[in-house]
Amino acid sequence: RMADEDMHYGLGFPALFDGLDFTTYTRSEIRRKCRFSPMEAEAGPGWKRELLLPFAHCPEFSMERLTLDGAYSLPSLGRYQLAIALRGDVSLSGTPLPQGRAAFVPAAAQVELAGDRAEVLLIIPGLAGQKG
């Protein structure tokens, strides 16, 4: 059994819910607030990056979709990234990354993603979440 303190990091149950918003919204309000259209960020020969969730909407992390018909050198951003194979055969610096699998890419790693009609979801932490 987990101790009560472990469930709320010692802050107490009332503080646990301070960050939640219990406002009721209509369906159209929810769509307007929560639905983002992909925005093309960058493209090159054999690849295209699209912003799905930019830092402007969520400072804790961003999400990008990388479409591959070739190779793409993942830039080192000075922080780790998570790459999830969404569709197609993807390789990460020559190592297969099967559909549905994820790879943790360390901050200093220089990797190449490659694929043929493949899609990769990139999750990038925001600077606020970095310790150092």
Side-chain angles (χ1 to χ4, degrees):
R1 182 175 188 276
M2 183 181 278
D4 284 353
E5 251 187 34
D6 292 334
M7 286 189 251
H8 51 68
Y9 303 104
L11 298 173
F13 282 110
L16 182 66
F17 298 106
D18 285 347
L20 302 176
D21 181 356
F22 294 99
T23 306
T24 302
Y25 295 102
T26 66
R27 187 172 290 202
S28 63
E29 287 173 322
I30 291 171
R31 282 190 182 123
R32 189 176 64 250
K33 288 177 159 290
C34 301
R35 189 180 257 174
F36 304 104
S37 297
M39 297 176 286
E40 187 169 321
E42 190 177 14
W47 59 270
K48 177 175 73 169
R49 279 185 39 232
E50 296 172 288
L51 288 172
L52 301 177
L53 180 63
F55 287 119
H57 292 289
C58 179
E60 287 77 21
F61 65 93
S62 75
M63 291 192 317
E64 298 180 6
R65 178 173 45 210
L66 178 62
T67 305
L68 295 166
D69 276 315
Y72 174 76
S73 294
L74 193 63
S76 176
L77 301 174
R79 53 191 185 263
Y80 71 86
Q81 299 176 65
L82 186 65
I84 304 167
L86 297 177
R87 181 172 62 95
D89 294 323
V90 177
S91 69
L92 182 71
S93 293
T95 302
L97 185 62
Q99 183 174 325
R101 293 292 181 101
F104 179 84
V105 181
Q110 294 182 351
V111 300
E112 181 178 84
L113 290 162
D116 181 27
R117 295 187 306 179
E119 288 183 1
V120 177
L121 180 67
L122 297 172
I123 299 175
I124 304 161
L127 293 173
Q130 296 294 298
K131 305 232 188 247

